[in-house]
Amino acid sequence: MSRAVSKRSSASASQASQKKSRPSRAKSSPKLDVAQLLHFYREMLLIRRFEERAGQMYGMGLIGGFCHLYIGQEAVVVGMQSALDERDSVITGYRDHGHMLACGMESRGVMAELTGRRGGYSRGKGGSMHMFSREKRFFGGHGIVGGQVSLGGGLAFAAKYRDDGGVALAYFGDGASNQGQVAETMNMAALWQLPLIFVIENNKYGMGTSVNRSSAGEGLYKRGEAYGIPGERVDGMNVLTVAEKAKEVVSHVRKNGPYVLEMETYRYRGHSMSDPAKYRSRDEVSKMREERDPIETLRELIVKQKAASAEDLKAIDADVRAIVADAAEFAQESPEPDPSELYTDILIEA
Amino acid sequence: MPTEILMPALSPTMTEGKLSKWLVKEGDDVRAGDLIAEIETDKATMEVEAVDEGKVGKIVIAEGTDAVSVNSVIAVLVGDGETVSEEAQARQQGEPEKAVKPISPPANPTASLSTSTSEQMDAEEAQAYASTNTLTVREALRDAMAEEMRADGNVFLMGEEVAEYQGAYKVSQGLLDEFGARRVIDTPITEHGFTGIGVGAAMDGLKPIVEFMTFNFAMQAIDQIINSAAKTLYMSGGQMGCPIVFRGPNGAASRVAAQHSQCYASWYAHCPGLIVIAPYSAGDAKGLLKSAIRNPNPVIFLENEILYGQSFEVPTSEDFTVPIGRAKVLRPGKDVTITAFSLMCRDALAAADALAAEGIDAEVIDLRTIRPLDTETIVESVKKTNRLVSVEEGWPYAGIGAEIAATMMDKAFDWLDAPVQRVSGKDVPMPYAANLEKLALPQVQDIVSAAKAVCYR
């Protein structure tokens, strides 16, 4: 994958169907909204600290099964979500904790689901990979690679059917982009002009197989080309770039049908907690962490622009730590589901 | 305060592991994210990162130690000027196993689907037949969809050739004209994808009817049907229902060979979270399809190509529906019970006529709903006849007949005077040759023979 850096500002969505192999970068606008910068910082930090704590609790045996951490990819979901409103719907795969937090779901409910407790979003019956919030229009949380993409097509279909102006975001990884139903959904989304954004979180590895070894062709953002769906590659390690692109693409998609965004990102941790990650070097990971960390990048910008003081940032850090500590405590104190829950929620009584 | 570093669980199944190597020594400063040790699990050697910061005050478990239990203290981090207390060493954690009380499933899963009593339901149904029209199954299905689409703007139909072609089997004839392309949607030949789209739309509150040209092609989509439609309500703790109907012809038609001739009743009936319906008559096809569309759960609605053109009396009232989960006695009898569904009801009735000629009075039950199965009606019949033959077109292994036989052992063992007999399709892929196909499918004579066998005649 080439990762050349363009110094030009990103193209508008209307030009986006042209071939572009370079990631778009944010304009270096002198006037950045301070409140938004701090919001992004806080949201990303919350996901980072939450995931670190989840990893720690997994190690303590408090969380079971599979646990896929989002550490490193925070800028993608925080940037994308900033462009959505209450009409819009979101769906993703199993690396979903960050998406839930970014959708405004409570840390307590998410962490308690990870521990399999009554206070979890699915009352302990879904676990790490299966949480939902109708209120926040977050539709899961799906464990079959690529399955969420056609379901996301259904969310976009529903928005179009109701003509409510809503947009659906289907997040999936580089690995999922090779599933047949992703291509099937692109075809139908283009045929029916569904308001659907295919957000490919290219974190370079589908489990242990690098994208170069799994995906033919140059650029996953071109996967919609055959169907006439415009696509772009975006620097997914920079929340401002993502947010700017999201704003542009979401308003395009509301009126003009589907779009593909390939987010160049990176996961610092293994595929799941039990992944020894021998398929990449320690240096590769540290280099990413040191040079392109989305949170560090934003923190430096905030300091450089004097958007906030070191004290302000410390206060955010402390606040986030307190939220995560509270969620962790809640998740351990919340009781296990009542045994009678075994036989509930199988069918809705008609 | 000193922080204990515990032996981490690094896979879903790990209970202990080998601490193969320490990457830090006592006195070292560590930050969150620093590598501190290598641990060998049952699957792989993993590097362990520190989650807190501090100075390594004490290494409790020496490197090279085997079988270190998860959650035992392996090292202690201290802050500035702190020391390690003695009791922090080698303390084992872990909860004692609690005795788990077994939980029983709800006594009657059918009962939870309706509040009316069985007798009331049967009486209402019989009353509806006071005024009828003669319709084919095809027309009855179309009318059911049209009526429900008129009543509820969230109901729509999608599938291959359902709109402009008027249905591959003409079941959706006229619907495009009445409801337009927004609600009667031709899909590309892409079952996995359009099923996912249907399921996603249902999760967001629409009520799709997804037509499969035949259920054979739904195998492309079975992941979305089971993993998404059937399981999401449970996985979401009751938040996210999926009101959707998957319908289309199921089973063998005539001379279309192995890939187009399979019965999926037992496949779908296996799965909690699905309702499975397989009607025989046009009245049941209409009444049950209307119930299925109104039902808030995912419903598999298995039709039959050979039945599409058959005519039956259908109640004229648009309010007529048939309750899900209720079987129907097609012919009362006292000597032997024959259960069947879909096309096999025709053969079971023919067998009953043949048996009558030989002095055996057979009771024929149309199961109508496969899941939840109306166990009560079968048991009541067996209490009377003491003999049971189950008929299905699908394969015998783990089939509906196997389920019924097991259920009768459980619920009606003392009433049976003979082992339950199964009549089913043969345990082979469907052959093309006319004579072989006939041999592979259950025949009226097979049912007659089975009934006589359980009557010891």
Side-chain angles (χ1 to χ4, degrees), chain A residues 138 167 267:
Chain A
F138 177 77
V167 162
R267 72 168 145 73

Side-chain angles (χ1 to χ4, degrees), chain B residues 439-456:
Chain B
L439 284 171
L441 287 168
Q443 303 296 323
V444 172
Q445 188 50 49
D446 298 330
I447 304 170
V448 170
S449 303
K452 286 166 82 173
V454 295
C455 292
Y456 301 108

Side-chain angles (χ1 to χ4, degrees), chain A residues 52 55-56 58-62 64-66 89 91 113 117 121-123 125-127 130-135 137-142 144 146-155 157-162 179-181 184-185 187-189 191-192 194 268-269 272-278 282 289 336 339-350, chain B residues 6-12 33-35 43-47 49 51-52 70-71 95 98 101 103-106 112-114 153-156 158 182-183 185-188 190-206 220 223-224 227-228 230 232-242 272-275 295-298 371-372:
Chain A
E52 286 168 353
Q56 185 184 0
Y58 189 93
M60 292 160 75
L62 292 164
F66 293 124
S89 40
I91 192 163
E113 190 60 39
R117 305 302 176 91
Y121 267 98
S122 300
R123 303 212 303 274
K125 293 159 86 167
H130 309 298
M131 278 177 253
F132 306 79
S133 169
R134 208 175 263 292
E135 184 201 345
R137 299 196 56 74
F138 177 77
F139 289 85
H142 296 271
I144 307 298
Q148 75 273 25
V149 180
S150 48
L151 295 171
L155 300 174
F157 180 95
K160 174 136 182 145
Y161 188 91
R162 287 191 297 253
Q179 285 281 19
Q181 64 179 317
E184 295 182 25
T185 304
N187 181 42
M188 284 178 279
L191 270 178
W192 301 336
L194 301 181
Y268 296 172
R269 299 294 187 92
S272 69
M273 288 300 295
S274 47
D275 173 13
K278 298 297 183 199
R282 192 85 201 160
R289 274 186 125 136
E336 286 188 313
S340 65
E341 283 278 350
L342 183 64
Y343 285 106
T344 60
D345 306 323
I346 296 164
L347 291 175
I348 298 171
E349 285 193 26
Chain B
L6 307 178
M7 180 72 170
L10 296 167
S11 79
D34 285 354
L35 290 182
K43 289 181 183 161
T45 303
M46 308 275 293
E47 291 165 332
E49 293 177 357
V51 283
D52 293 296
V70 164
N71 272 345
E95 285 178 45
K98 275 180 272 180
K101 207 175 124 198
I103 303 298
S104 305
S112 69
L113 287 172
S114 179
N154 281 333
V155 179
F156 69 94
M158 71 191 301
R182 174 173 166 266
R183 297 180 67 194
I185 301 150
D186 277 325
T187 65
T190 175
E191 286 84 4
H192 196 184
F194 73 67
T195 302
I197 287 178
V199 172
M203 285 175 180
D204 198 10
L206 299 186
Q220 295 267 2
D223 164 57
Q224 289 291 7
N227 273 316
S228 302
T232 299
L233 182 69
Y234 196 82
M235 297 194 302
S236 66
Q239 263 193 79
M240 204 65 73
C242 189
L274 292 179
I275 289 170
N295 195 279
N297 298 292
R371 182 191 185 102

Side-chain angles (χ1 to χ4, degrees), chain A residues 58-283:
Chain A
Y58 189 93
M60 292 160 75
L62 292 164
I63 296 170
F66 293 124
C67 184
H68 309 88
L69 302 181
Y70 197 63
I71 297 174
Q73 300 179 215
E74 297 91 343
V76 176
V77 77
V78 170
M80 287 305 302
Q81 293 304 116
S82 70
L84 303 186
D85 65 35
E86 68 283 350
R87 295 169 289 178
D88 303 327
S89 40
V90 172
I91 192 163
T92 187
Y94 43 75
R95 197 177 306 286
D96 55 359
H97 315 158
H99 300 74
M100 294 184 282
L101 296 174
C103 283
M105 290 167 68
E106 298 289 332
S107 306
R108 278 184 164 199
V110 180
M111 196 69 98
E113 190 60 39
L114 296 183
T115 52
R117 305 302 176 91
R118 213 173 278 191
Y121 267 98
S122 300
R123 303 212 303 274
K125 293 159 86 167
S128 165
M129 299 181 285
H130 309 298
M131 278 177 253
F132 306 79
S133 169
R134 208 175 263 292
E135 184 201 345
K136 302 289 182 190
R137 299 196 56 74
F138 177 77
F139 289 85
H142 296 271
I144 307 298
V145 174
Q148 75 273 25
V149 180
S150 48
L151 295 171
L155 300 174
F157 180 95
K160 174 136 182 145
Y161 188 91
R162 287 191 297 253
D163 195 22
D164 62 12
V167 162
L169 260 65
Y171 290 90
F172 56 105
D174 43 293
S177 66
N178 295 317
Q179 285 281 19
Q181 64 179 317
V182 174
E184 295 182 25
T185 304
M186 284 182 176
N187 181 42
M188 284 178 279
L191 270 178
W192 301 336
Q193 287 295 290
L194 301 181
L196 175 63
I197 306 179
F198 297 86
V199 187
I200 306 176
E201 300 196 57
N202 180 356
N203 64 17
K204 312 289 188 287
Y205 298 91
M207 195 166 164
T209 303
S210 75
V211 67
N212 301 322
R213 294 204 297 125
S214 66
S215 307
E218 168 68 25
L220 299 175
Y221 67 97
K222 292 185 185 170
R223 288 286 170 96
E225 245 177 30
Y227 312 103
I229 304 177
E232 284 186 73
R233 183 179 280 165
V234 181
D235 176 5
M237 299 301 276
N238 187 322
V239 69
L240 300 180
T241 314
V242 176
E244 187 185 290
K245 185 51 67 185
K247 203 173 159 192
E248 183 186 306
V249 169
V250 166
S251 76
H252 172 88
V253 168
R254 273 194 213 289
K255 297 184 195 79
N256 305 301
Y259 214 94
V260 176
L261 289 176
E262 177 185 358
M263 298 289 168
E264 283 201 300
T265 184
Y266 200 78
R267 72 168 145 73
Y268 296 172
R269 299 294 187 92
H271 163 72
S272 69
M273 288 300 295
S274 47
D275 173 13
K278 298 297 183 199
Y279 44 83
R280 61 183 185 186
S281 71
R282 192 85 201 160
D283 285 350

Side-chain angles (χ1 to χ4, degrees), chain B residues 154-401:
Chain B
N154 281 333
V155 179
F156 69 94
L157 172 67
M158 71 191 301
E160 292 155 10
E161 311 291 7
V162 298
E164 297 196 5
Y165 195 93
Q166 306 289 325
Y169 295 99
K170 298 285 178 278
V171 173
S172 56
Q173 187 127 37
L175 296 182
L176 175 66
D177 291 344
E178 181 174 352
F179 299 102
R182 174 173 166 266
R183 297 180 67 194
V184 183
I185 301 150
D186 277 325
T187 65
I189 303 171
T190 175
E191 286 84 4
H192 196 184
F194 73 67
T195 302
I197 287 178
V199 172
M203 285 175 180
D204 198 10
L206 299 186
K207 295 178 180 172
I209 305 167
V210 173
E211 175 175 313
F212 292 115
M213 194 180 289
T214 83
F215 261 93
N216 300 286
F217 313 146
M219 271 206 277
Q220 295 267 2
I222 202 163
D223 164 57
Q224 289 291 7
I225 295 172
I226 292 166
N227 273 316
S228 302
K231 295 179 185 172
T232 299
L233 182 69
Y234 196 82
M235 297 194 302
S236 66
Q239 263 193 79
M240 204 65 73
C242 189
I244 191 169
V245 175
F246 302 102
R247 50 156 290 271
N250 170 68
S254 182
R255 309 286 312 278
V256 290
Q259 291 182 341
H260 288 74
S261 311
Q262 190 175 330
C263 174
Y264 289 90
S266 85
W267 283 52
Y268 292 109
H270 185 64
C271 304
L274 292 179
I275 289 170
V276 183
I277 295 172
Y280 164 59
S281 71
D284 286 345
K286 182 177 180 190
L288 281 164
L289 184 53
K290 284 167 72 85
S291 294
I293 295 167
R294 293 178 191 183
N295 195 279
N297 298 292
V299 179
I300 304 287
F301 197 88
L302 304 170
E303 301 162 7
N304 183 283
E305 189 190 331
I306 294 164
L307 287 174
Y308 279 152
Q310 308 279 311
S311 294
F312 296 83
E313 291 305 298
V314 178
T316 49
S317 167
E318 288 207 359
D319 296 330
F320 167 70
T321 59
V322 172
I324 291 171
R326 187 79 183 134
K328 184 178 190 175
V329 178
L330 295 181
R331 173 194 170 118
K334 58 178 178 24
D335 295 333
V336 55
T337 302
I338 303 173
T339 64
F341 57 94
S342 191
L343 182 64
M344 287 297 113
C345 290
R346 176 195 67 181
D347 294 3
L349 288 170
D353 286 344
L355 288 163
E358 296 190 47
I360 296 173
D361 185 15
E363 175 148 307
V364 177
I365 296 175
D366 179 358
L367 299 176
R368 302 199 293 190
T369 299
I370 309 299
R371 182 191 185 102
L373 188 68
D374 182 0
T375 305
E376 180 194 327
T377 295
I378 308 172
V379 169
E380 285 310 308
S381 179
V382 167
K383 282 183 180 173
K384 183 170 61 174
T385 64
N386 312 112
R387 292 166 172 86
L388 178 61
V389 173
S390 142
V391 186
E392 70 189 301
E393 192 185 290
W395 291 314
Y397 194 98
I400 302 302

